[in-house]
Amino acid sequence: MKILVTGAAGFIGFHLSRLLLTKDFELVGIDNINSYYDPNLKYARLKELGITKEKAELFLKASKNQQGNFEFIRMDLHDRKALPLLFEKHSFDIVVNLAAQAGVRYSIENPEAYIDSNIVGFLNLLECCRSYKIKHLLYASSSSVYGANKKVPFAISDSVDHPISLYAATKKSNELMAHTYSHLYEIPTTGLRFFTVYGPWGRPDMAIYLFAEAISNGKPIQIFNHGNMSRDFTYIDDIIHGVEILINNPPVKESEKPAYRVSNIGKGSPQSLGDFIKAIENSFGRDAVKEYLPMQAGDVPQTWADVSELEALGYKSKTNIEEGVSSFVNWFKEYDKSK
């Protein structure tokens, strides 16, 4: 079985690719390696997958790892000529789309990047899935689609009609677009509503990375909404466990309902931002200097995933916050030394 992972040099895409390479799959990864954050982190992830920076830097040039079970191509989902050629060459069975412009706050400053990547790029991918008869498309959505929903935990049956950031609006749009293609062309699709993912190899714009960087340099950490926030912090291994389960359990068409699903992937139990920060401080063995600030535009005070439907398929979150944060900090210290 052959799988395409888009965003393979990204945080979740890297971890998923690494897992799939231990399974009986042929794997192809693509990524445009943009400069939203330091591309060297993306090259370092690819190096872990067996692709050198020299090879990864080249556009539209396929490179294989030493084992020959992973092929990487630097390309963009915007490329309406190259993308169909890729699908024609490889005859993919499954596509996991993790390529997207990430970040709630950045979407307020750079809205065009989100439309280009998350809407136009996703449409190009859907068209390829339609034309080349993909058996299952999975794609990254986000807990951000729940907006300022006050009912907790957030369930997939909840209304998501009131996004409060453009990032969230693009993710809701992806779900609507996928539903349309499932209905019109009978493509099984699964939307992955990720909840506050953290762990080794995480993005530098994520809270845990920013906190770790500030603490290690003796600088203050910025705490928004004066610390009155909670999140369903989910360790990366649990996220990948959930994605693997959903890869192996595609939705099935039922009567008039298309083969369409959205799924929460989270820990299923929120923790306060203060507890999260305390775990980071404990891992570093020092207290953070704290700067308390108002809530930022587009942010929400809490998230909490109802994962009961995923649990019915065998999912279980296994990593507590102390273990997960410790793993991240250990990785961060090593990576920081290597830069």
Side-chain angles (χ1 to χ4, degrees):
M1 187 173 290
K2 185 173 281 192
I3 298 183
L4 170 67
V5 174
T6 76
F11 175 33
I12 300 176
F14 157 71
H15 281 277
L16 179 62
S17 297
R18 188 162 65 174
L19 173 73
L20 293 176
L21 288 175
T22 68
K23 310 290 182 178
D24 191 22
F25 293 116
E26 291 182 73
L27 183 64
V28 175
I30 66 172
D31 200 295
N32 65 1
I33 315 183
N34 66 26
S35 57
Y36 169 61
Y37 60 84
D38 184 4
N40 286 319
L41 176 54
K42 302 175 185 181
Y43 290 126
R45 292 179 187 134
L46 287 172
K47 185 178 179 181
E48 291 287 310
L49 298 175
I51 304 296
T52 65
K53 179 180 178 181
E54 292 71 27
K55 290 181 178 179
E57 284 179 318
L58 303 173
F59 279 95
L60 301 178
K61 299 289 186 182
S63 302
K64 287 194 174 184
N65 64 353
Q66 197 168 30
Q67 292 74 27
N69 59 348
F70 177 58
E71 182 174 299
F72 176 79
I73 306 104
R74 184 176 184 183
M75 64 180 297
D76 202 306
L77 294 183
H78 301 173
D79 194 331
R80 288 182 176 167
K81 292 183 178 178
L83 198 60
L85 293 176
L86 179 75
F87 274 73
E88 184 177 355
K89 175 183 177 182
H90 286 284
S91 301
F92 298 115
D93 298 292
I94 296 170
V95 173
V96 186
N97 180 43
L98 301 173
Q101 180 58 59
V104 170
R105 293 164 190 161
Y106 188 72
S107 70
I108 295 170
E109 302 166 11
N110 297 275
E112 294 86 356
Y114 290 77
I115 300 303
D116 291 344
S117 179
N118 300 5
I119 303 297
V120 176
F122 190 58
L123 173 62
N124 293 343
L125 193 68
L126 284 169
E127 277 293 287
C128 286
C129 289
R130 174 181 70 87
S131 298
Y132 294 94
K133 311 299 181 187
I134 298 304
K135 296 173 183 174
H136 189 192
L137 166 66
L138 302 94
Y139 59 95
S141 184
S142 168
S143 62
S144 296
V145 300
Y146 291 106
N149 189 357
K150 291 183 171 55
K151 171 195 160 291
V152 290
F154 299 164
I156 60 171
S157 58
D158 292 344
S159 171
V160 290
D161 292 335
H162 304 284
I164 61 172
S165 69
L166 183 63
Y167 171 71
T170 63
K171 292 302 184 179
K172 170 65 186 289
S173 299
N174 287 170
E175 293 181 1
L176 294 172
M177 294 162 73
H179 185 279
T180 302
Y181 273 68
S182 291
H183 172 74
L184 290 176
Y185 308 116
E186 298 189 348
I187 304 168
T189 64
T190 298
L192 310 167
R193 290 180 178 173
F194 297 129
F195 278 72
T196 316
V197 191
Y198 74 98
W201 299 99
R203 300 196 320 262
D205 65 322
M206 300 172 87
I208 189 170
Y209 199 113
L210 293 171
F211 292 163
E213 197 165 48
I215 291 170
S216 64
N217 291 309
K219 295 181 178 179
I221 64 173
Q222 294 185 328
I223 303 174
F224 295 101
N225 202 32
H226 306 285
N228 299 314
M229 302 177 79
S230 64
R231 289 287 183 270
D232 200 321
F233 295 106
T234 312
Y235 189 64
I236 184 63
D237 288 1
D238 292 335
I239 291 287
I240 299 306
H241 172 50
V243 175
E244 182 184 16
I245 287 171
L246 292 167
I247 286 174
N248 293 322
N249 290 274
V252 178
K253 178 177 170 59
E254 296 179 10
S255 185
E256 298 302 313
K257 292 183 179 181
Y260 168 85
R261 173 202 288 137
V262 292
S263 180
N264 289 337
I265 309 183
K267 184 166 181 56
S269 59
Q271 290 197 259
S272 72
L273 181 58
D275 287 345
F276 192 63
I277 292 170
K278 178 54 68 177
I280 300 171
E281 291 175 323
N282 290 342
S283 292
F284 273 102
R286 71 182 81 162
D287 291 339
V289 179
K290 301 175 180 70
E291 180 184 0
Y292 292 95
L293 299 168
M295 179 75 87
Q296 284 206 322
D299 215 342
V300 297
Q302 65 176 339
T303 64
W304 180 357
D306 178 345
V307 292
S308 56
E309 295 200 18
L310 187 56
E311 286 177 334
L313 295 174
Y315 174 77
K316 183 174 177 58
S317 173
K318 299 176 182 177
T319 309
N320 65 43
I321 199 168
E322 290 78 16
E323 293 170 334
V325 167
S326 178
S327 293
F328 170 82
V329 170
N330 289 338
W331 167 81
F332 174 84
K333 290 175 178 177
E334 289 301 314
Y335 180 71
D336 201 39
K337 274 192 245 176
S338 70
K339 288 194 295 185

